[in-house]
Amino acid sequence: IVIHDSGSLVGSARTIDQAHRRLGRDGLGYHFVINNASGGKDGRIERGPRWRGQIRGAHSVGNGARWLNEHAIGICVIGDSRRRPPTTAQMQRLVDLIQKMQARLGISADQVFLPTDLGVGEDSASHFPAEKVRGLLLSYRH
């Protein structure tokens, strides 16, 4: 599982789909998008066509991107953590979704990559509340 921060305060699966198409991609690159009330209901999880069709992702770039896109589930949290942290509803829904995937698909904690794990530098990902998410995941008991 790879978690991404959209880098924009407003958005939805539809707006990201449009942006990805403008970049020459085959539509929405993520399997799931979690809204922040600025484009969709706060905490609402949108399943993308890649999840419904079990199609490889197009969510990662840089070193290791090919492997991540072919093997990982991409989840995008709408927002820009440099300016505003994800909402409480987004965080809870993110953790819920990750836990369901872990239980259903046997995904271990070391196979969950947060934006800060991907070495992206000083963009919004470096401000993502990774420790909070990890703390919530650790409190989960199967």
Side-chain angles (χ1 to χ4, degrees):
I1 299 174
V2 179
I3 313 304
H4 299 271
D5 177 319
S6 70
S8 61
L9 296 175
V10 177
S12 65
R14 184 180 59 78
T15 61
I16 294 173
D17 176 75
Q18 292 168 344
H20 283 183
R21 287 180 190 282
R22 283 191 302 272
L23 293 171
R25 297 183 190 169
D26 185 23
L28 178 67
Y30 306 106
H31 295 91
F32 297 93
V33 174
I34 304 176
N35 291 304
N36 68 352
S38 295
K41 183 180 175 191
D42 190 16
R44 179 174 173 237
I45 297 173
E46 295 184 88
R47 284 182 304 183
R50 291 180 190 281
W51 179 254
R52 290 189 300 271
Q54 294 297 291
I55 302 166
R56 72 184 279 289
H59 48 81
S60 295
V61 296
N63 282 342
R66 183 176 181 178
W67 189 93
L68 291 171
N69 286 324
E70 289 179 10
H71 300 285
I73 298 165
I75 302 172
C76 180
V77 177
I78 298 293
D80 183 343
S81 297
R82 287 177 297 197
R83 296 184 274 171
R84 183 174 37 206
T87 68
T88 301
Q90 282 180 297
M91 295 293 284
Q92 189 56 58
R93 295 293 289 176
L94 173 62
V95 170
D96 290 346
L97 180 58
I98 292 170
Q99 290 172 344
K100 285 178 184 174
M101 294 288 174
Q102 287 179 296
R104 185 176 183 192
L105 303 172
I107 298 170
S108 64
D110 65 342
Q111 294 174 316
V112 177
F113 298 96
L114 299 172
T116 51
D117 299 329
L118 301 177
V120 293
E122 286 300 315
D123 63 5
S124 64
S126 63
H127 298 276
F128 190 84
E131 294 307 314
K132 184 174 181 179
V133 173
R134 293 225 187 269
L136 291 169
L137 287 173
L138 290 174
S139 68
Y140 174 71
R141 300 191 191 287
H142 289 278

